Amino acid sequence: MNGIDPSTNIECEWSHNPSIGIVKLRWLALEYEATPNPFVGWSWIGPWLDTMVRDFWLLTARVNNQIVGLAIFTKKQKKNWLGQNYDHYFLHRLGEQAADQIWIEYNDFLLAQDNQTLTRDAMFRAIQRKLQPRDCISIGASSHEVAFHCALMADPTCAMTPLTVWESPSYQVDLLRIKHEQTGLIESLSKSARKQIKRSIKKYERSGLVEINTANTCEQALMFFDNAKHNHIQRWGSAPGQSGFANPAFVRFHQAFIRHNFASGMIQIHSLSAGENEIGIIYNFHLNGVVYFYLSALSYNDDPQLKPGLVAHYLLIEQALNTDMKMYDFMGGDARYKQTFSNSQQQLAIIEYHQPHFARSLQNMARSAKRIMA
């Protein structure tokens, strides 16, 4: 595809509930011109639409009748604090705790590689035009350059108000940097981390060989996913908003996601063990040279010197290095083990943008007064 001339008009069109077949054709065709992460490709969007979405809007950006951008929005009607109705739009989410527990990260529009800034700007302006007074839109969890895109705040006649509802660092291990520096993974870690990992592996080896067993069939991947349920619930709890395995919508989506993507090689579910003893299950995505760590379900015991998380990720990062992957991405969440391994990070956020309105202005004034008085 040729680059977009800055003077070219990018036309944006809204479609309400187009057929899934049409959406799929457009999405897959544009993926050839894009480099989507797992959450923006049809790999995620397809199972999400199939298992969770019944009503949606498709935003399509075109140049000379050629599609250069796509995004899907859902809508919930809400009431503000004055009892007035407004529409709340969500990019690739539903705005419901149970449904959104599948937790999309690096959320964005699907964009052709050429002139993404121009296309994203045009699509955000199309969103501004669609929103009525009092309406709002949620973007995220997205990188800061997407979540805080200037097009949503630059127009003085619009002046949409951003509200950060979630923010977190996202940690990565730049594997190319480790290779370039020729240090090796273990040498790149702190002295304390090296000691903990080596000691833990030595203790695990008393039970037998420490090894990684990666699911090699879709059926085995689904079995590993199901096997993760017990430890994950034990670790995080079974109440709403805790372990996803206690949420039927979460389980249903990921079963469909695994079936949809296993044959492509994107799904990598690992069972780590020491002899007959399980260390844990790690559920990762592999795409375009990046390992995306999605979920772990680890076996803990009373020995504080056994570090299942550190050992599991150490072994899988070593594996990624040996198979010429470029990045091991822990994604969002401020956890100590992520900081231990990472040599790079960025910020993710979920931002709500509200159209200017009297009720919103009063609410902002009340919040400001509360902060001053606190």
Side-chain angles (χ1 to χ4, degrees):
M1 177 183 290
N2 295 324
I4 299 173
D5 186 327
S7 65
T8 299
N9 183 40
I10 301 174
E11 298 179 347
C12 294
E13 172 194 23
W14 290 95
S15 306
H16 187 215
N17 288 333
S19 75
I20 300 300
I22 289 174
V23 179
K24 181 179 181 179
L25 286 173
R26 291 183 185 181
W27 213 277
L28 290 176
L30 184 55
E31 280 198 35
Y32 284 107
E33 305 291 344
T35 53
N37 62 62
F39 301 96
V40 180
W42 191 251
S43 55
W44 182 276
I45 297 298
W48 177 66
L49 286 174
D50 285 342
T51 61
M52 293 190 171
V53 183
R54 296 296 173 263
D55 187 78
F56 67 96
W57 291 86
L58 176 69
L59 177 59
T60 304
R62 291 185 175 89
V63 171
N64 297 326
N65 209 35
Q66 187 164 8
I67 293 175
V68 295
L70 291 167
I72 293 172
F73 294 87
T74 66
K75 182 178 74 172
K76 290 182 71 68
Q77 191 171 82
K78 298 182 177 181
K79 289 184 183 292
N80 65 21
W81 67 299
L82 294 180
Q84 299 168 313
N85 291 330
Y86 70 95
D87 290 331
H88 191 156
Y89 292 84
F90 298 86
L91 174 64
H92 303 148
R93 295 191 299 131
L94 289 176
E96 301 169 3
Q97 183 185 51
D100 292 339
Q101 195 173 15
I102 63 175
W103 197 250
I104 187 170
E105 297 197 25
Y106 302 128
N107 197 0
D108 196 358
F109 306 142
L110 180 66
L111 301 170
Q113 290 188 50
D114 293 319
N115 293 298
Q116 291 187 359
T117 300
L118 285 174
T119 305
R120 186 181 286 113
D121 185 81
M123 293 175 74
F124 272 129
R125 294 190 186 281
I127 292 167
Q128 285 181 325
R129 293 191 295 270
K130 184 173 181 60
L131 298 184
Q132 300 299 309
R134 296 195 297 269
D135 288 353
C136 75
I137 183 169
S138 287
I139 306 294
S142 304
S143 60
H144 262 218
E145 60 266 27
V146 176
F148 290 95
H149 190 66
C150 60
L152 288 176
M153 298 183 286
D155 186 351
T157 65
C158 178
M160 296 184 75
T161 306
L163 174 66
T164 302
V165 297
W166 177 88
E167 192 168 22
S168 171
S170 171
Y171 294 97
Q172 297 81 38
V173 185
D174 185 338
L175 302 176
L176 296 180
R177 184 191 301 181
I178 292 175
K179 288 183 177 181
H180 177 73
E181 294 174 352
Q182 297 181 333
T183 56
L185 176 60
I186 195 70
E187 290 78 16
S188 71
L189 304 178
S190 69
K191 182 178 179 181
S192 174
R194 294 197 301 269
K195 180 179 179 181
Q196 289 182 63
I197 291 169
K198 290 178 178 179
R199 181 175 59 198
S200 188
I201 290 176
K202 188 174 182 179
K203 281 201 165 191
Y204 275 125
E205 286 176 338
R206 295 174 186 172
S207 299
L209 181 66
V210 175
E211 57 185 350
I212 303 169
N213 181 19
T214 303
N216 55 29
T217 67
C218 184
E219 291 71 21
Q220 190 177 35
L222 289 167
M223 182 185 72
F224 283 1
F225 179 74
D226 186 63
N227 289 347
K229 178 179 180 178
H230 173 76
N231 282 335
H232 201 268
I233 289 178
Q234 189 173 51
R235 175 72 169 173
W236 300 110
S238 59
Q242 295 184 335
S243 171
F245 286 94
N247 176 358
F250 175 94
V251 173
R252 183 170 61 251
F253 168 81
H254 277 285
Q255 289 171 339
F257 182 73
I258 292 167
R259 292 190 185 99
H260 186 275
N261 295 293
F262 185 83
S264 71
M266 193 183 85
I267 302 296
Q268 298 284 307
I269 305 186
H270 313 280
S271 175
L272 290 92
S273 59
E276 298 296 319
N277 298 325
E278 182 185 78
I279 296 174
I281 302 288
I282 304 286
Y283 178 16
N284 288 344
F285 313 149
H286 285 209
L287 188 66
N288 298 325
V290 180
V291 179
Y292 297 86
F293 163 58
Y294 180 78
L295 176 150
S296 66
L298 304 172
S299 296
Y300 294 92
N301 58 39
D302 294 332
D303 187 343
Q305 292 186 344
L306 287 177
K307 306 290 184 181
L310 284 179
V311 169
H313 286 295
Y314 170 74
L315 294 174
L316 289 171
I317 295 169
E318 280 280 23
Q319 183 185 77
L321 274 167
N322 294 333
T323 54
D324 294 324
M325 301 298 281
K326 296 180 289 188
M327 185 81 70
Y328 193 95
D329 194 337
F330 285 107
M331 300 199 288
D334 196 3
R336 180 66 178 271
Y337 70 91
K338 296 182 181 184
Q339 298 176 38
T340 294
F341 288 107
S342 72
N343 56 16
S344 176
Q345 74 176 81
Q346 58 178 303
Q347 288 292 116
L348 297 178
I350 298 176
I351 307 297
E352 290 181 4
Y353 286 93
H354 293 261
Q355 283 283 45
H357 191 266
F358 177 69
R360 188 70 191 172
S361 298
L362 287 179
Q363 190 174 22
N364 289 340
M365 289 172 61
R367 283 177 175 159
S368 297
K370 185 177 180 180
R371 284 196 296 269
I372 292 172
M373 296 174 64

